[in-house]
Amino acid sequence: MIQVLFFAQVRELLGTDKVAVPASGIHTTEDLRAVLAAKNEKWGKVMTSDKLLVAVNQTMSNWDTVVEQGDEVAFFPPVTGG
């Protein structure tokens, strides 16, 4: 399984802070995003946002980052501070 975490507005829009996804057939963060987007229309809209950021095992990543069984992947919006 891949542990998937959602933060900030992404969590609020999806109504959950985490899900577990079977690793079978998922090779990259983009593959994982596509699987999650296919859940339903709401998930599709959130997961295909061009403002969505991703981290794998607490390291900022790109959409072609390889993911494996046991990884933790986090999705979140851009963060600004003051």
Side-chain angles (χ1 to χ4, degrees):
M1 296 295 248
I2 298 170
Q3 299 303 314
V4 184
L5 307 176
F6 305 106
F7 292 96
Q9 185 180 21
V10 175
R11 177 183 60 221
E12 293 169 15
L13 292 169
L14 296 177
T16 187
D17 61 347
K18 62 184 170 183
V19 296
V21 177
S24 178
I26 296 176
H27 305 288
T28 66
T29 50
E30 181 61 39
D31 294 341
L32 177 58
R33 178 163 74 160
V35 166
L36 295 170
K39 285 178 69 93
N40 62 43
E41 187 177 333
K42 177 175 69 172
W43 282 68
K45 184 174 181 178
V46 173
M47 297 309 300
T48 58
S49 169
D50 61 350
K51 297 188 186 317
L52 192 64
L53 298 176
V54 64
V56 176
N57 298 323
Q58 300 181 5
T59 300
M60 288 297 297
S61 301
N62 297 310
W63 296 113
D64 59 354
T65 300
V66 173
V67 292
E68 300 175 341
Q69 176 79 18
D71 282 347
E72 176 188 86
V73 179
F75 293 101
F76 50 95
V79 179
T80 59

